[in-house]
């Protein structure tokens, strides 16, 4: 994938930020990362994460939390960052994504709180007891576009290389498993290799586990926290998402991201609203 | 426990906040919730959570994230809150715990970002697939003070009623299980019933799972996120904490809190530094 990763990928272009000074950045939210009318929350988090990585002295998001306040729209936006504390190994900061509303007033879309560090500076020890998820080989998984009416394919689906575990796609043919599980291989369509920022996209790029629980409605994210634990090796990652607690109109989605070297490179949890069927 | 809960409990007294106007509150961090020189992070989160519940129009923390910046010390402190967005069912806000450093300058201890709602307003549906953790009955678990030299008991241990699952206390006799698990019953020593604020304490009140992994050093929390999903029923809760990914000098601690009616009332995850043995 070397050629692709040396060129400018769509992901890097669409998450680009332009410094305006004093921790403020201009951005342009791309319509290429939407599904329905919604701009993907993982794409937005990656853009905010890029801004914080530029504003803080440390490059990588170790733990980043986003609260989704109002629906972001494709088009111009600004990111305001603020350093909370700068330490030797970790720096903490906040970021806010804002757009101009129809009435001309500023509307905040997302608020972020994160601590950054340097993944390259971590010791190499691995004493994890976690096991990679049971996902069939890439070629035995189902492409997200397979069998879809091209006109009905959401824009974001053209940007990613998503191959779903056949065991978690029953919802697509009206036969949800009833288990809150969604698994698959995830890469970028243009072959760009993963990095800590694209992992922020990976944890929120699969169909909602709620689909496999038999819910068909939208599942808006209230809050998403991602721990990036290692810089991912080249090649697509495996993403496993699990929901155990659907209750009171909310559910959690826990994601694990494993790289091609079988390392658990990211863990995330989000709280989302469930539209009960 | 009616008498105890109608009186003023130590937890309520020690997490009390005094409004100073404009979203600022005075507080006094109690030395009764320390272990070693550290003030317990869950106790501090409960105090911050109380301030946000007062400052925001909604009463209960649905999802609250804290980044621990510097070590809090017993004594005077202030909490500064700020509303980010107020919605119909959810309100989002930030809180900052600050103290005066030795040089007389203000030092920020903790930064919080949270969304609040009203647990009493949630629909009663429960479609969870999660199962309560396998914790023996309360009377068959081990009191945290059992067999300890009274002079060596950390202050916080006198404030809580913690009964650990014998299967997860091997570390205490030099025989850690090697599994990243810690489980037990958790209540307040004076019999105060649990509420959403005491659940913020419950998720951070057990010994570190790192002890059962054979690590003996301190495990400082970098970030802690708690989802409170239901108002807990009276009586002690069961807390189960799991670590799967000890790597690169960091580990995650996932906690589940189950109430006496077998409801999963809270889920949390924290990223902590691991001092590798």
């Amino acid at each position: 994938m070397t050629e692709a990763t040396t060129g400018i990928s769509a992901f890097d272009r669409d998450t680009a930020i332009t410094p305006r000074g004093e921790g403020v950045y201009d951005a342009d939210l791309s319509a290429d990362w939407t599904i329905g009318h919604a701009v993907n929350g993982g794409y937005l988090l990656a853009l905010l994460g890029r801004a914080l990585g530029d504003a803080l002295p440390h490059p990588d998001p170790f733990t980043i939390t986003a609260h989704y306040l109002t629906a972001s729209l494709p088009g111009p936006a600004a990111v305001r960052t603020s350093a909370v504390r700068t330490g030797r190994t970790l720096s903490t900061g906040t970021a806010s994504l804002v757009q101009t509303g129809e009435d001309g007033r500023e509307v905040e879309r997302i608020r972020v709180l994160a601590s950054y560090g340097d993944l390259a500076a971590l010791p190499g020890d691995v004493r994890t007891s976690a096991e990679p998820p049971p996902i069939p080989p890439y070629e035995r998984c189902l492409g997200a576009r397979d069998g879809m009416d091209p006109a009905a394919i959401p824009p974001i689906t053209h940007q990613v290389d998503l191959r779903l575990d056949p065991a978690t796609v029953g919802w697509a043919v009206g036969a949800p498993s009833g288990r809150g599980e969604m698994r698959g291989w995830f890469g970028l369509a243009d072959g760009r290799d993963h990095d800590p920022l694209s992992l922020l996209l990976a944890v929120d790029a699969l169909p909602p586990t709620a689909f496999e629980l038999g819910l068909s409605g939208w599942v808006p994210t209230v809050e998403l926290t991602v721990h990036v634990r290692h810089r991912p090796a080249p090649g697509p990652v495996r993403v496993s998402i699990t929901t155990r607690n659907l209750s009171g109109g909310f559910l959690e989605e826990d994601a694990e991201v494993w790289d091609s070297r079988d390392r658990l490179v990211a863990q995330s949890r989000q709280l989302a609203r469930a539209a009960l069927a």
Side-chain angles (χ1 to χ4, degrees), chain A residues 29-30 34 37 39 44 70-77 99-100 102 109:
Chain A
L29 309 186
S30 169
T34 55
H37 293 300
V39 183
L44 295 168
T70 58
S72 299
L73 302 173
Q99 293 190 295
T100 303
E102 289 183 345
R109 304 303 193 191

Side-chain angles (χ1 to χ4, degrees), chain A residues 162 164 182-186 201-208 239-241:
Chain A
L162 175 61
L164 293 171
M182 195 66 63
R183 292 186 296 269
W185 293 83
F186 181 78
L201 168 67
V203 299
D204 194 45
L206 272 61
V239 182
S240 174
I241 305 180

Side-chain angles (χ1 to χ4, degrees), chain A residues 1-269:
Chain A
M1 306 197 191
T2 318
E3 305 85 327
T5 53
T6 51
I8 293 181
S9 81
F11 176 78
D12 293 320
R13 180 194 68 226
D14 295 339
T15 56
I17 46 161
T18 307
R20 199 200 289 170
E22 296 175 336
V24 181
Y25 300 83
D26 290 318
D28 188 32
L29 309 186
S30 169
D32 293 346
W33 299 84
T34 55
I35 176 165
H37 293 300
V39 183
N40 175 265
Y43 157 73
L44 295 168
L45 184 57
L47 189 151
L48 283 153
R50 190 184 291 281
L52 269 174
D54 184 82
L56 296 173
H58 293 92
D60 304 313
F62 276 26
T63 170
I64 181 166
T65 291
H67 285 244
Y68 295 82
L69 310 170
T70 58
S72 299
L73 302 173
V79 178
R80 278 206 205 88
T81 65
S82 169
V84 172
R85 176 178 181 267
T86 297
R88 188 174 53 80
T89 59
L90 291 174
S91 300
T92 302
T94 64
S96 173
L97 181 71
V98 299
Q99 293 190 295
T100 303
E102 289 183 345
D103 60 3
R105 283 187 302 184
E106 179 178 291
V107 184
E108 183 166 4
R109 304 303 193 191
I110 302 172
R111 179 68 65 96
V112 165
L113 176 60
S115 288
Y116 275 55
D118 183 356
L119 289 171
L122 295 183
D125 65 288
V126 177
R127 293 169 60 171
T128 182
S129 62
E131 306 260 326
I135 300 179
Y138 177 91
E139 52 283 354
R140 294 232 303 279
C141 289
L142 304 171
R145 292 187 291 273
D146 295 357
M148 276 190 85
D149 169 2
I153 297 175
I156 188 174
T157 306
H158 292 290
Q159 300 299 327
V160 301
D161 178 18
L162 175 61
R163 304 268 158 169
L164 293 171
D165 182 338
T168 65
V169 295
W171 58 275
V173 291
S177 68
R179 294 185 304 273
E181 301 174 1
M182 195 66 63
R183 292 186 296 269
W185 293 83
F186 181 78
L188 291 161
D190 59 15
R192 175 201 187 272
D193 281 328
H194 282 296
D195 65 2
L197 290 181
S198 69
L199 295 183
L200 303 183
L201 168 67
V203 299
D204 194 45
L206 272 61
T209 51
F211 287 0
E212 278 295 272
L213 290 170
L215 309 185
S216 53
W218 189 235
V219 188
T221 303
V222 173
E223 172 264 325
L224 169 61
T225 294
V226 187
H227 297 175
V228 178
R229 301 293 301 274
H230 285 286
R231 185 169 291 279
V237 292
R238 284 156 293 174
V239 182
S240 174
I241 305 180
T242 307
T243 293
R244 301 173 66 236
N245 192 26
L246 168 58
S247 180
F250 289 84
L251 55 79
E252 95 285 9
E253 275 198 5
D254 286 358
E256 283 187 4
V257 184
W258 293 76
D259 73 3
S260 58
R261 292 194 186 132
D262 277 355
R263 295 196 89 175
L264 181 48
V265 291
Q267 292 168 289
S268 76
R269 173 174 289 165

